Amino acid sequence: MGNNMENHKLFEISQSAIIQDSAGRILILKKNKKWLLPGGRLEENETWLEGLQREVEEEAGIEKFSIKKILDIDTSDDKNTYIATFLCKVEDVQVKLSSEHQEYVWLNLKDIDKYEFWHEKIKDRLKILLGASQ
């Protein structure tokens, strides 16, 4: 077996940021006709905080935001990826989209069902937040 076992990762970690502005709206990004939250996979030797910061900056151009709490931890359908969803707050900010996204919206949670998301679980996570804020 040798050293190959050390290189084998049993799972990956992916992160999503629910970024809420001062009006309580959530930033969602459009990619290939569907909506999703900013985020992505952790790179090797990256802490979760560095990874979240990097992804949010790359995808939305937001450099400064505060992390309030971990809202949810879930697994992907194949159970190989853990998805941590963080609730983040931001003051009024200018979004600068990456080239991989077509559009962004500051979503009022009451309008959530008007949008088609990449995955039903994204909507579920946002509804957890909606439930918590009522």
Side-chain angles (χ1 to χ4, degrees):
M1 296 281 264
N3 285 336
N4 286 349
M5 285 303 285
E6 290 172 20
N7 298 330
H8 178 69
K9 286 169 77 175
L10 294 175
F11 59 88
E12 290 191 314
I13 295 178
S14 185
Q15 303 184 123
S16 295
I18 293 179
I19 300 177
Q20 209 169 25
D21 70 3
S22 51
R25 300 172 307 170
I26 307 273
L27 179 66
I28 56 174
L29 310 178
K30 191 180 219 177
K31 184 175 179 178
N32 303 334
K33 300 193 174 97
K34 293 196 179 167
W35 295 90
L36 68 165
L37 297 167
R41 284 198 169 79
L42 275 184
E43 291 177 356
E44 211 156 327
N45 303 323
E46 193 173 47
T47 69
W48 60 269
L49 192 55
E50 291 165 346
L52 195 64
Q53 191 84 48
R54 176 184 52 76
E55 288 287 355
V56 169
E57 198 170 333
E58 280 175 11
E59 294 186 359
I62 297 173
E63 292 174 33
K64 288 198 165 107
F65 59 93
S66 57
I67 298 169
K68 295 302 176 188
K69 63 180 177 178
I70 296 175
L71 197 66
D72 183 56
I73 294 181
D74 202 354
T75 54
S76 59
D77 293 337
D78 61 9
K79 305 282 188 257
N80 286 340
T81 304
Y82 284 91
I83 302 150
T85 303
F86 294 86
L87 178 60
C88 306
K89 298 276 186 180
V90 74
E91 292 305 311
D92 297 325
V93 72
Q94 201 63 44
V95 175
K96 295 189 269 317
L97 272 188
S98 77
S99 57
E100 61 185 272
H101 299 93
Q102 288 79 49
E103 207 180 322
Y104 72 90
V105 163
W106 286 100
L107 168 74
N108 278 309
L109 282 174
K110 63 179 172 39
D111 298 329
I112 190 168
D113 289 323
K114 295 178 185 169
Y115 294 86
E116 188 181 352
F117 286 86
W118 268 93
H119 203 290
E120 202 59 34
K121 284 184 173 182
I122 297 172
K123 209 181 257 193
D124 293 344
R125 287 181 199 115
L126 288 168
K127 285 181 174 174
I128 290 171
L129 179 63
L130 185 60
S133 67
Q134 288 179 342

